[in-house]
Amino acid sequence: MSTHPSPISIIPCTIYFTITKQISLLSPSSNSMASPSSISVAPVKVQELSVYEMNERDRSSPAFLKLSQKSTNSLGDLVPFTNKIYTGDLQKRIGITAGLCILIQNVPEKKGDRYEAVYSFYFGDYGHITVQGQYLTYADTYLAVTGGTGIFEGVSGQVKLQQLIFPFKLFYTFYLKGIPDLPQELLGQAVAPSPTVEPTAAAKACEPGSTIANYTQ
Amino acid sequence: MAAFSSSTSSSLLKPAFISSSPKLSAQSILPFRVSNPLPRRGLNMITTSATTTTVTTSFSCKSQSSPPDSQTRDQVQQLCVYEINERDRGSPAYLRLSQKSVNSLGDLVPFSNKIYTGDLQKRVGITAGLCVLIQNVPEKKGDRYEATFSFYFGDYGHICVQGQYLTYEDTYLAVTGGSGIFEGVYGQVKLQQLIFPFKLFYTFYLKGIPDLPEELLGAAVAPSPAVEPTAAAKACEPGATILNYTQ
């Protein structure tokens, strides 16, 4: 290991190369890392996960706190919220979202608002995913996946937010890295997003077989 | 819940497999955090040039770490911390913005408490953040909050977390990031309430950072409602705090 070449010469090749070499020196038997040029670490797997968020108006949400005390939406207004979430195929109730939207500015030319959103998706016994990013009431956005617990522990990536009916129906596509393969029941073929989609009656009623284990309430 | 390779005895052992390799690499490689296990995210940046739908090798199915060298990558370090509200920080500030008599969505609770090492020997710093009340849970005689806050460790840096805080049971929060020695950290943290809302015990399961300093890893005092920091730690006497403990 002390025969490692001078670090200075490696830097221009990006730090990554150096790290690869480091690994190969440490565990020569672990993988086919012949040389820095053959980065034999496999591409990182991205798993897509689709989720529908529905405001069924039974959670007193959202709570629009007009702390700016101005007539138009203004910086100072805060919007805690919590809605229900369902699998992408709308067959099973998963749990809830919970968090805070911080109004940043009203955007009159788009007839909407910019929020900074910080919230979590709770997946019952599976754990949760935390996200943060911009929520624009007038356009789709991407939020950062900042972490998770349970099966999502250590997760990274991003999530695409698509509004179907503002603010009652949203469709999310998560692009997740760094976690084991997701369970099949979360990966059913997603119903194509549109304003009229609805969960199955059984899922809305949280009947046995139409929820995940200990779906978050 | 978290898989970790170190022993699980009550004392906080550093992972036994700490080989000399991180230190060796420190001599020969670059100044940036060389003793660190390979930053997982650093790998991601490089490999995204490959298609994101490429089938991976088997390691991605087994564990959360990307590189095939499993030892340093899967290293989970446990860190225990006590959070204590000594009622001298004006905390919590319960903002009843819902204007309802029962705790309701709309109520916000900024807070800040003191934190001590798990062995209760040293004052570490503070927590600081916000609890967003999500719903009252009458059948459990408690509430659900969404909590977003940080743990400040003086000169060492800080750890930020986010997740559910249920006043009636233990929960896990996500570790969303960190600074200083915690830069690049990921993982989760278990929250145990000892006395609501004055004493809490946290067990962090941290990945992606260099070995934690010994003074944070003393054998944790077993959590119970009666635990107290040493008088010296409470008084922040020299030797009973970490360097520039956060105030």
Side-chain angles (χ1 to χ4, degrees), chain B:
Chain B
M1 189 184 293
F4 46 91
S5 49
S6 56
S7 79
T8 56
S9 65
S10 58
S11 68
L12 291 167
L13 302 178
K14 285 168 65 171
F17 64 79
I18 291 180
S19 65
S20 59
S21 47
K23 299 181 180 56
L24 268 179
S25 62
Q27 298 160 6
S28 56
I29 314 279
L30 306 176
F32 85 107
R33 259 189 327 144
V34 296
S35 59
N36 205 11
L38 173 64
R40 177 201 54 167
R41 290 185 177 87
L43 259 191
N44 293 358
M45 292 190 309
I46 304 300
T47 55
T48 47
S49 57
T51 72
T52 55
T53 53
T54 307
V55 174
T56 61
T57 60
S58 60
F59 64 72
S60 67
C61 303
K62 285 192 250 184
S63 72
Q64 302 177 11
S65 59
S66 314
D69 182 328
S70 59
Q71 277 195 310
T72 49
R73 293 306 298 114
D74 284 340
Q75 174 185 353
V76 177
Q77 298 187 68
Q78 280 193 54
L79 172 66
C80 291
V81 164
Y82 274 96
E83 179 185 18
I84 306 205
N85 182 344
E86 295 175 6
R87 299 179 186 70
D88 57 352
R89 296 178 66 80
S91 176
Y94 199 102
L95 308 176
R96 194 165 276 290
L97 301 169
S98 68
Q99 298 179 333
K100 294 181 184 152
S101 51
V102 166
N103 292 356
S104 308
L105 189 71
D107 294 348
L108 300 177
V109 191
F111 68 95
S112 174
N113 298 314
K114 297 180 183 176
I115 53 174
Y116 296 87
T117 50
D119 59 10
L120 285 168
Q121 298 284 318
K122 292 191 179 181
R123 169 76 185 281
V124 165
I126 61 171
T127 52
L130 183 68
C131 280
V132 177
L133 191 132
I134 299 300
Q135 63 191 71
N136 176 249
V137 186
E139 58 271 25
K140 302 278 191 179
K141 293 188 174 51
D143 303 296
R144 163 186 285 276
Y145 290 90
E146 181 69 9
T148 308
F149 59 109
S150 293
F151 292 74
Y152 290 93
F153 290 78
D155 280 358
Y156 286 130
H158 82 288
I159 298 174
C160 32
V161 304
Q162 182 178 344
Q164 57 186 351
Y165 169 55
L166 307 176
T167 61
Y168 49 87
E169 69 186 37
D170 297 345
T171 59
Y172 283 85
L173 290 84
V175 170
T176 53
S179 68
I181 67 171
F182 304 107
E183 188 262 314
V185 73
Y186 58 100
Q188 58 187 7
V189 57
K190 181 175 182 181
L191 179 161
Q192 292 171 254
Q193 275 195 111
L194 308 176
I195 302 178
F196 166 75
F198 299 113
K199 269 186 209 173
L200 295 88
F201 180 70
Y202 294 88
T203 309
F204 287 88
Y205 301 95
L206 304 176
K207 296 184 193 173
I209 56 175
D211 293 344
L212 292 166
E214 286 298 325
E215 69 172 334
L216 298 181
L217 300 178
V221 172
S224 84
V227 300
E228 286 289 338
T230 62
K234 281 189 84 165
C236 299
E237 290 172 15
T241 76
I242 66 170
L243 207 56
N244 288 320
Y245 65 96
T246 316
Q247 304 188 52

Side-chain angles (χ1 to χ4, degrees), chain A residues 61-202:
Chain A
S61 178
F64 199 103
L65 307 176
K66 201 156 250 311
L67 301 169
S68 69
Q69 298 179 335
K70 295 185 182 148
S71 50
T72 60
N73 292 353
S74 308
L75 191 69
D77 295 346
L78 300 177
V79 191
F81 69 96
T82 175
N83 299 315
K84 297 179 184 176
I85 54 174
Y86 296 86
T87 51
D89 60 9
L90 285 168
Q91 299 282 318
K92 293 192 179 180
R93 168 75 185 282
I94 290 173
I96 62 172
T97 52
L100 183 66
C101 279
I102 300 168
L103 193 136
I104 300 300
Q105 62 190 80
N106 178 248
V107 188
E109 58 271 25
K110 301 281 190 178
K111 296 189 173 46
D113 302 296
R114 162 185 287 277
Y115 290 89
E116 181 69 9
V118 181
Y119 59 112
S120 295
F121 292 73
Y122 289 95
F123 289 76
D125 282 354
Y126 287 130
H128 82 288
I129 298 176
T130 54
V131 303
Q132 181 174 345
Q134 57 185 351
Y135 169 55
L136 307 176
T137 61
Y138 50 86
D140 296 345
T141 59
Y142 283 86
L143 290 83
V145 170
T146 50
T149 61
I151 68 172
F152 305 107
E153 188 260 322
V155 71
S156 66
Q158 57 185 1
V159 57
K160 180 174 182 181
L161 181 160
Q162 293 170 255
Q163 275 196 110
L164 307 175
I165 303 179
F166 165 75
F168 299 113
K169 271 186 208 175
L170 295 89
F171 180 71
Y172 294 88
T173 310
F174 287 87
Y175 302 94
L176 304 175
K177 300 180 196 173
I179 55 174
D181 289 345
L182 292 167
Q184 282 304 319
E185 71 173 331
L186 299 181
L187 300 177
Q189 177 77 30
V191 172
S194 84
T196 54
V197 300
E198 287 287 334
T200 63

